[in-house]
Amino acid sequence: MDAALKEMPGSELNAIINKIASAGVVGAGGGGFPTAFKLKTGTPIQTIIINGAECEPLLKVDQELMTRYPAELLAALAAVVQATGARTGIIALKEKYREARTALAGEISTYPGLKLHLLPDVYPMGDEHLLTYSVTGKTIPPGGLPLQAGAVVLNVETLYNIHQALKGNPVTHKYVTVTGAVRQPITARVPVGVTVRELLALAGGPAVDQYLLITGGPCMGKVTSINAPVTKTTKGIIVLLLDHPLAAAYRRDLNKELKLALKVCCQCQQCTDFCPRHLLGHPLEPHRAMRAVTYGLVDITLPRALLCSECGLCDLYACPFNLSPRQVNRKIKAELQQKGFRAGPYPTGIPSPFREGRQVPTKSLISRLGLREYYERTVTFREENITVNQVHLPLKQSAGVAPEPVVKIGDRVSAGDLLARIKDDTPGANLHASINGIITAINNNIVIQGGANP
C-alpha cells in the first residue's frame, strides 16, 4: 500500500470521501455519476465491487490499468472499503484477462479483505445488475441500484482516479481506446478536453476517407464528431467505414423502423428471450413494446421500457429482421422521463432458469457485428505526455449539475488548478485544468490556450 494511504488514521475516513469530491472523480466507465455521492450512501454497504468486465468489445482501458497498476488499484480499494465500512472489496474481471489477473493476484495477498472474482466472457456482463448478481448472488430490484443488494459498483479507471485523489491529484487526464478503421489502434492517456481529431492523429489517423465516429463501445456508443472533446467519461472512439453494417445500425431512422416493424415483426420474442434484464427476472418484454407501439395499442408494459439498459442485444444480435426494439424503448423512455414518470416500484424478480444458456459469448457478438478484423488487432498502449495547444472542457461532465467557474478570461492556470467548483452537498463534480495555459473562453465550456503539458 502507498505510504500516504497507510498513514491515514481511522478518524480521517470522512476525509477520504472529501478528497474524492475535491478531485472531481466521477464514474469513468461512461455513467459519470459523482463518486463521492455514490460512496456517501448513509446505508450499510457489504461489498465494494470493481467493475473490470470491460463490457464493450474492442475497449482495452480497464484491462491495461489492471495489468499496469495492480498495487495502486488494490491500495485504493482497501481505503474505500475501510472508509465505507464495507465487509469486502472485490475486483471482478473476465477470466480471459490473464495478464491483468496475474498482476492483481501477485499483489492481493497483502489485503486479506480483498478478492478477485472471475467472470465469463459474455456480453453485457459489465451491466451493474448482471455484475452484482454474478458477484454476490443477489438480484437488484428492477429499476433499483446495487446498493439495494448491499453493493456499490465502481469502474476500474474510477478506482485509479480515487488512488490519485487520495494523493491529492485531481482528475485531469483520461484513458481512451481508439480503434476500428485506424492505422494503429491505441489506448492512450490524454488531457481531458482534447478533441477526437487529436486522438485519431495519435492512432495514425483514419485508414479511410469517409467514416462514422462512435464514442463509447460498438454496442452502446453514440455518434460523435471529429471536433468533440474528450470528457471524464469518454472510454473509446471507434472509426467505422460508412458501409459497415454497424454504421448503418447507428443511422437508423425511428419512423422507418416503426413502419418496417409493422410489416415484418412476427412477435417471435427473440428480443425478449435474449434480453439480459428480462433473464434476471425484470418485467421487461421488448417484443410487447414493439407490438404496442407499431399498432398504437395502450399496453401496461410500456412504462417498463424505463428498465431497458439499452445494451443493444435485441437489435444487434437477437432480431432475425434487424429491427430495433432498443430504439423503440429509447423513444418511450424519453417521453416518459419528460413527463417525470418513474419506473416501479417492482418486486425483486427471480432469474430465468434459461439465463445461463442464453448468455451471448463476446466472440459470437463480434462475429455478428462484423468486427472480428478490429477485435483481433493489437492495441498499443501510450502513456507519455503529449503536446496539446488547446483544450475545451465542458462544465458539465457528470450526472447532476454543472459546477460554477472560479476563474475568468485571461487567467493563467496550471494543470490541476481548480476551474469550476460544485456547491457543497450538490450532485456534480469539480472541474480542473488539464494543461498549462490561459483561459480564453467561458460559456458551457472553459477553453484553455496553452503549450506543452508539464
Side-chain angles (χ1 to χ4, degrees):
M1 181 185 292
D2 285 2
L5 301 187
K6 281 184 175 180
E7 295 172 1
M8 196 169 287
S11 61
E12 295 186 22
L13 294 182
N14 288 334
I16 293 179
I17 291 179
N18 291 336
K19 286 187 175 184
I20 292 170
S22 178
V25 180
V26 304
F33 194 83
T35 304
F37 278 84
K38 182 176 281 193
L39 296 176
K40 287 194 299 185
T41 65
T43 302
I45 300 171
Q46 296 178 354
T47 310
I48 302 291
I49 302 173
I50 304 305
N51 185 352
E54 198 111 63
C55 184
E56 286 270 20
L58 304 185
L59 304 187
K60 303 289 184 181
V61 169
D62 295 336
Q63 299 166 57
E64 291 284 4
L65 292 177
M66 289 186 289
T67 300
R68 295 171 185 274
Y69 297 108
E72 290 83 353
L73 293 172
L74 290 168
L77 178 55
V80 171
V81 168
Q82 181 184 9
T84 59
R87 295 179 184 176
T88 186
I90 297 175
I91 296 184
L93 70 162
K94 290 182 178 178
E95 188 173 9
K96 71 172 185 177
Y97 301 156
R98 293 184 178 86
E99 291 183 0
R101 176 185 177 184
T102 299
L104 290 165
E107 299 280 350
I108 202 167
S109 60
T110 309
Y111 305 92
L114 306 186
K115 303 175 184 178
L116 298 182
H117 180 89
L118 301 182
L119 302 166
D121 186 19
V122 296
Y123 177 84
M125 183 49 74
D127 175 273
E128 283 190 337
H129 284 251
L130 276 65
L131 185 69
T132 300
Y133 179 69
S134 176
V135 172
T136 68
K138 299 177 181 178
T139 52
I140 303 168
L145 299 171
L147 192 61
Q148 292 172 271
V152 167
V153 178
L154 302 173
N155 171 261
V156 167
E157 188 177 2
T158 305
L159 184 63
Y160 179 80
N161 289 336
I162 289 173
H163 173 265
Q164 294 297 324
L166 297 183
K167 294 167 58 176
N169 301 322
V171 178
T172 60
H173 284 68
K174 188 72 180 72
Y175 290 88
V176 185
T177 296
V178 186
T179 188
V182 293
R183 290 185 171 85
Q184 175 53 64
I186 61 169
T187 294
R189 177 181 179 268
V190 297
V192 174
V194 303
T195 63
V196 171
R197 185 190 306 275
E198 291 168 292
L199 278 176
L200 294 179
L202 291 176
V208 293
D209 293 330
Q210 301 293 321
Y211 51 84
L212 186 72
L213 292 170
I214 304 299
T215 180
C219 298
M220 298 180 70
K222 296 180 180 179
V223 176
T224 190
S225 74
I226 199 166
N227 294 316
V230 168
T231 71
K232 295 179 183 180
T233 62
T234 305
K235 203 69 175 179
I237 298 294
I238 300 172
V239 180
L240 294 174
L241 280 68
L242 287 182
D243 60 356
H244 192 284
L246 188 57
Y250 270 97
R251 292 180 300 198
R252 292 178 188 267
D253 180 87
L254 180 58
N255 291 327
K256 290 182 179 178
E257 285 290 320
L258 293 178
K259 290 179 181 178
L260 186 61
L262 182 61
K263 294 178 181 179
V264 304
C265 180
C266 64
Q267 289 289 290
C268 67
Q269 300 191 29
Q270 283 195 192
C271 54
T272 296
D273 289 342
F274 280 95
C275 174
R277 293 288 181 91
H278 177 78
L279 291 171
L280 268 183
H282 292 200
L284 179 63
E285 299 175 284
H287 76 282
R288 290 188 64 173
M290 292 290 283
R291 181 176 61 194
V293 171
T294 54
Y295 287 97
L297 303 177
V298 177
D299 194 311
I300 61 171
T301 66
L302 287 181
R304 298 175 188 176
L306 291 167
L307 304 176
C308 175
S309 67
E310 301 184 25
C311 72
L313 276 185
C314 56
D315 55 10
L316 298 175
Y317 187 86
C319 181
F321 299 111
N322 294 320
L323 302 177
S324 183
R326 171 170 55 170
Q327 270 210 339
V328 172
N329 277 341
R330 189 178 287 164
K331 176 70 172 176
I332 296 170
K333 288 169 69 173
E335 292 181 358
L336 291 175
Q337 288 168 347
Q338 189 175 16
K339 296 176 181 178
F341 193 92
R342 294 194 175 189
Y346 299 108
T348 301
I350 300 174
S352 167
F354 304 110
R355 177 179 175 272
E356 186 172 347
R358 289 179 181 166
Q359 294 183 110
V360 177
T362 300
K363 287 187 176 180
S364 297
L365 179 63
I366 286 292
S367 296
R368 184 70 61 89
L369 297 179
L371 296 174
R372 183 164 298 280
E373 174 189 356
Y374 304 142
Y375 185 69
E376 294 177 347
R377 294 182 71 184
T378 299
V379 179
T380 302
F381 184 75
R382 296 188 59 177
E383 203 170 22
E384 72 274 14
N385 289 331
I386 63 172
T387 299
V388 177
N389 294 320
Q390 188 181 75
V391 292
H392 291 251
L393 298 159
L395 281 173
K396 193 175 188 305
Q397 298 192 29
S398 70
V401 301
E404 297 182 356
V406 296
V407 293
K408 60 183 183 300
I409 294 175
D411 285 352
R412 181 173 292 277
V413 296
S414 298
D417 285 352
L418 182 66
L419 300 180
R421 179 185 290 115
I422 199 73
K423 292 181 178 179
D424 292 341
D425 297 323
T426 302
N430 290 344
L431 181 65
H432 300 79
S434 58
I435 64 171
N436 300 333
I438 296 174
I439 306 294
T440 59
I442 301 176
N443 37 60
N444 291 331
N445 299 270
I446 295 181
V447 180
I448 304 175
Q449 186 71 39
N453 279 353

